[in-house]
Amino acid sequence: MKFSNAVTYLSCLAMICACVGCEPTSSTSTTTSQNVQSTLLGEININGSSTVLPISNAIKEMFEKGNPKVDIKVSGDGTGNGFKDFYSKRTDISDASRPIKPGEFEKCKEAGVEFVEIPVAYDGLTIAVHPENDWAEQLTVDQLKKMFVGDGHAKTWKEVDPSWPDEEIKIFAPGTGSGTYDYFREVVTKGEEEELHQNMSLNEDDNVLVQGVSGNKYSIGFFGVAYYEANRDSLRAVQIVNPKDGQAYLPTTENIAANKYAPFSRPLFIYVNTESLNRAEVQAFVNYYLENVSAACEQVGYVRLPAEILDAAQANLENIVTGTHFVDADGNSRSGALADNFVADNLTK
């Protein structure tokens, strides 16, 4: 390990193993594990994606059981708002439901904020409707574009499909500071410089969006799959037609992992300020995060990453490999599969 601080590898390892997440091997060690708590002190500030929020909260709760003197504050004000706090040095970790944008990367460089980019899970951005909606069983990207994009957007379900009800479409969507909003816009506009229309109820709190969709028969909305899984009784997920094979898929674990639920399968990230890694509590927490994220993401409804991607992320953390794999040397965003982009040759510092 090449952490640039005074905490040695062995002491850091001891602190991490003291966390409650370490599995006991016998009844004796269970008793010991429950009674042993680390002496770590400090505060960790996290903000960003409301999509990643359930994962970070789950990790926080596990970590704090073994480290009660570490105060961890987790907020979900949206990916864009999180990056603003990050390059303003108000947070140690930025949760993100999309990769960092070129402009945000430039702001970090201007502020002297170096970071390690860590993918943590896969999400299936879920298009949800009211359970009594018995007409829109599946949707294409073009139909979504007709509903969400431009001044001439469809205002009723009948305008999307003549066989559907002549009732106004009520749309509930994440706020413009959300990475989920950015990702959805990029997908439905197919990368064009078009904007989503303004005739929507926007909110950074995904729980508010869930309430909106579940409260109106003619509503539709989108958010991370974890929020759908937590509210399956009051929502229905719409099948999305994969543009490559023409088949419609639901955002199941298997479909997201296999990228069949396309183009709405996406990676989730945390970005860690390297200066913050000079503090033992941040160093221990981020290691604990990576060691436990696969279990945590499945617990809250997301999909674990392949072992090789998590191993690469762990190696980058241990060696303090800074920069992003999603902005090229010319300052342009990279698109495509996580496995293709998250390689050393694509790293831009």
Side-chain angles (χ1 to χ4, degrees):
M1 248 184 219
K2 301 178 182 177
F3 291 117
S4 54
N5 59 25
V7 180
T8 66
Y9 170 71
L10 290 175
S11 63
C12 179
L13 186 60
M15 287 183 288
I16 295 169
C17 289
C19 300
V20 74
C22 297
E23 292 293 331
T25 56
S26 68
S27 58
T28 302
S29 62
T30 300
T31 304
T32 304
S33 170
Q34 290 173 342
N35 292 328
V36 173
Q37 293 180 335
S38 84
T39 57
L40 277 176
L41 295 169
E43 182 178 294
I44 302 171
N45 289 307
I46 305 170
N47 193 14
S49 168
S50 60
T51 303
V52 184
L53 181 67
I55 304 175
S56 290
N57 270 335
I59 297 291
K60 167 193 167 176
E61 291 172 7
M62 291 189 291
F63 184 81
E64 285 182 336
K65 289 178 182 177
N67 300 273
K69 296 180 182 179
V70 178
D71 182 18
I72 305 172
K73 294 181 172 64
V74 185
S75 301
D77 294 338
T79 299
N81 294 323
F83 276 127
K84 289 177 184 177
D85 279 353
F86 191 63
Y87 58 66
S88 299
K89 302 184 180 180
R90 291 192 289 266
T91 54
D92 304 295
I93 298 169
S94 201
D95 290 346
S97 60
R98 57 160 172 79
I100 194 168
K101 290 181 177 180
E104 294 161 340
F105 185 37
E106 193 60 36
K107 290 282 190 182
C108 285
K109 290 193 286 186
E110 290 172 0
V113 174
E114 293 188 319
F115 57 79
V116 181
E117 180 178 65
I118 301 175
V120 294
Y122 280 132
D123 173 37
L125 191 156
T126 302
I127 316 303
V129 295
H130 192 278
E132 293 181 14
N133 178 326
D134 58 2
W135 57 91
E137 294 294 328
Q138 63 183 45
L139 288 166
T140 65
V141 173
D142 285 339
Q143 286 175 317
L144 288 169
K145 181 175 182 179
K146 191 171 185 179
M147 298 167 73
F148 283 87
V149 178
D151 294 334
H153 65 90
K155 296 175 177 59
T156 67
W157 287 97
K158 189 177 183 67
E159 291 176 54
V160 181
D161 185 308
S163 67
W164 291 352
D166 189 15
E167 298 285 349
E168 182 182 0
I169 304 169
K170 298 289 188 181
I171 297 178
F172 297 87
T176 56
S178 166
T180 301
Y181 179 98
D182 289 337
Y183 188 86
F184 181 87
R185 185 194 63 78
E186 184 174 336
V187 168
V188 298
T189 64
K190 302 177 182 178
E192 298 297 325
E193 294 299 319
E194 297 177 273
E195 298 296 331
L196 304 186
H197 64 75
Q198 300 301 305
N199 190 27
M200 298 186 286
S201 295
L202 303 178
N203 201 293
E204 301 289 357
D205 187 340
D206 289 342
N207 290 305
V208 173
L209 304 181
V210 168
Q211 292 170 13
V213 175
S214 63
N216 187 298
K217 181 177 179 179
Y218 301 103
S219 62
I220 189 170
F222 61 91
F223 29 75
V225 69
Y227 289 90
Y228 164 68
E229 291 292 344
N231 297 277
R232 292 178 69 105
D233 292 342
S234 59
L235 301 170
R236 180 173 67 78
V238 179
Q239 299 179 66
I240 299 300
V241 177
N242 184 323
K244 292 186 177 179
D245 66 13
Q247 299 298 308
Y249 298 94
L250 286 168
T252 64
T253 296
E254 295 76 13
N255 289 341
I256 293 168
N259 202 32
K260 291 181 178 178
Y261 184 69
F264 289 113
S265 296
R266 57 175 179 166
L268 305 175
F269 300 86
I270 61 172
Y271 288 77
V272 185
N273 187 323
T274 57
E275 186 175 334
S276 298
L277 282 172
N278 289 330
R279 307 199 322 263
E281 70 275 15
V282 177
Q283 186 182 118
F285 176 75
V286 178
N287 269 284
Y288 186 85
Y289 202 121
L290 266 176
E291 290 170 1
N292 293 276
V293 70
S294 290
C297 75
E298 291 182 345
Q299 173 188 323
V300 300
Y302 293 118
V303 179
R304 66 171 61 203
L305 292 176
E308 57 269 23
I309 291 179
L310 287 176
D311 289 345
Q314 182 69 57
N316 287 350
L317 175 64
E318 291 177 357
N319 293 288
I320 312 296
V321 177
T322 62
T324 177
H325 303 77
F326 296 89
V327 178
D328 65 24
D330 296 323
N332 301 310
S333 293
R334 285 194 176 96
S335 59
L338 174 63
D340 294 335
N341 282 311
F342 195 68
V343 294
D345 289 346
N346 283 345
L347 187 68
T348 304
K349 294 182 176 289

